[in-house]
Amino acid sequence: MAAEDSLSSNPLLQNFEFPPFDVVDARHVRPGIRALLHQLEAELEQLEKTVEPSWPKLVEPLEKIIDRLTVVWGMINHLKAVKDTPELRAAIEEVQPEKVKFQLRLGQSKPIYNAFKSIRESPDWNTLIEAPQIKEAVLSGIALEDDKREEFNKIEQELEKLSHKFSENVLDATKKFEKLVTDKKEIEGLPPSALGLFAQAAVSKGHENATADAGPWLITLDAPSYLPVMQHATNRALREEVYRAYLSRASSGELDNTAIIDQILKLRLEKAKLLGYSNYAEVSMATKMATVETADELLEQLRSASWAPAVQDIEDLKSFAKDQGAAEADSLTHWDITFWSERLRESKYDINEEELRPYFSLPKVMEGLFGLAKTLFGIDVAPADGVAPVWNSDVRFYCIKDSSGNPTAYFYFDPYSRPSEKRDGAWMDEVFSRSRVMAQKDSSVRLPVAQMVCNQTPPVGDKPSLMTFREVETVFHEFGHALQHMLTKEDEGLVAGIRNIEWDAVELPSQFMENWCYHRDTLMSIAKHYQTGETLPENVYKKLLAARTFRAGSLSLRQLKFATVDLELHTKYVPGGTESIYDVDQRVSMKTQVIPPLPEDRFLCSFSHIFAGGYAAGYYSYKWAEVLSADAFSAFEDAGLDDIKAVKETGQRFRNTILALGGGKAPLQVFVEFRGREPSPEPLLRHNGLLLATA
């Protein structure tokens, strides 16, 4: 088949209403991406020749170029996350540098930069949206002289490669660990759902007769496998073995990430210096709501409120373990904490997460979530399966309609875990952003399309997917992100939805939605037993509420540790200096971990958020956003959660500010517009039961 023919039928290059996820595979990537880049380069050259400092002559053609690349690259990147194959990986890896090269060329285009500058200096600038391009252009090295710019570009290419390699090492190291158990005594305490999962894993590795009851059972380091072991295995030696394996992922042999981390930090610092900043955290904060100082200040404020309660948490565990006659009571360590916390939680609130599962079946949870969205934001979520192609038969497709029944957005939902081909965790991403420029012929605007991906226990036989309460929170969380993407009123594609929203503000709607999981009416509407239909008993709800602040000090410190080590590595750490990355980790841990880490702790080697995700010098934003979201939710508390009229009015205001304004307006302004004042950490500390500690 001639190359031309294959290009004309390459699904990546077609005009499509929705991405052809069902037909794209690895063989389309190299020719498709190369042809696309070739085409976009020609369009960019054309634009540079004809550019004028006006919206139609600059922003619109630019958006078309950026959009095509974002959509097509987004498709293959998404497939890599949900339907990974060695061939797809290899193909993406090969064309990645060419794509980065084009992005740099685009981000560093002098004619485009100058045109933006002229628009900015013109009198009608204020009627236009904030153009993120100027700041981004400076951060992508546009103001550099040629030789420096070349160095900058080399650094960008190298960083992209390193972060890819980092996450592949983590994935491969996670996959590599397999522990086959044949003696049921070794896995005492584990719930049936975990045993079922382990048996399923064993079957997939060739033990075709494995069953949940008789084994054999295969334990891996995937979260759905690792967590139950840490929470429920009475076998302390097994917990230690699995903990140590988890903690040392990607820290030895050919999958060792240590040198990669050092190189990443070294290059980030060089990049910062080239751009005229003193460290990488300053580069990161240049496009965020916080500054290094205000982030530090918040982390310390929350740390001091959390420390004493966290110390108390450990004391509580020790005395509880002692009462239970545990030999290890006086020397509780890392592989005991999760296990004993779980036992204490069960005895205190006797909530066994596993026993709650039957009350949270996925169909019911989604129905309740969509009902809440209707109450708060006046939208309807309607199934639209079959309208768009999907990558797996379990994927659902939905349409969001406004109060008059017009479609305003669409989203995909991929709920179940597929360890062999899908990365773990939960995330939301954009497929299309809302855009006037990208509208199809017969409409005035292209509607936004999102995707939500989770990793829940798949349905078994005729039993629906039954969720832990944590998984329920996760679905609410991701839907919050999706709502901000889908309910944007912003028609300029470059700042619509979640685009150009400061990173530390982007978690606001997602964490805001989580609060509703604790709201009595909302929770009771979804918590129905999948067989009998009975509602979650009232006393269990009360316990869930109380459990929310259980070990709040410890959980808060854990996040603060991650955030602080991230900021330290990107401000004070000197690559190749006297202190290693692990020394920094140990030093930070003295102030953020009641039980000091093991000397051989290598958690940094799998800290993908900051070395392969977008959270470099930005992990603090989880806490920053928690402050914002708790404060936003307190607006509903102030209005009265039982006053349906007030809730709807406040919900409408939330929709018209936080969800609608996208990246077109500074988040602090948007927040003040909604809340009537600047954010305060008080509601967060109050929700977490940590206020008394500071009083």
Side-chain angles (χ1 to χ4, degrees), residues 55 58-67 70 106 116 129-133 136 430 433-438 446 490-501 662-664:
W55 219 247
L58 162 65
V59 180
E60 292 180 9
L62 180 65
E63 183 186 336
K64 285 181 177 157
I65 295 174
I66 293 175
D67 193 272
T70 309
L106 176 73
F116 265 118
I129 50 151
E130 255 301 314
Q133 281 72 18
E136 278 179 11
E430 61 169 66
S433 68
R434 183 178 163 96
S435 164
R436 177 180 54 78
V437 172
M438 301 305 297
R446 176 182 69 185
E490 184 57 77
D491 290 342
E492 298 305 336
L494 298 175
V495 293
I498 53 174
R499 291 186 171 186
N500 191 43
I501 290 189

Side-chain angles (χ1 to χ4, degrees), residues 148 276 370 377 442 562 582 594 651:
K148 282 202 167 152
F370 298 159
F377 312 125
D442 46 357
F562 296 156
Y582 305 120
V594 179

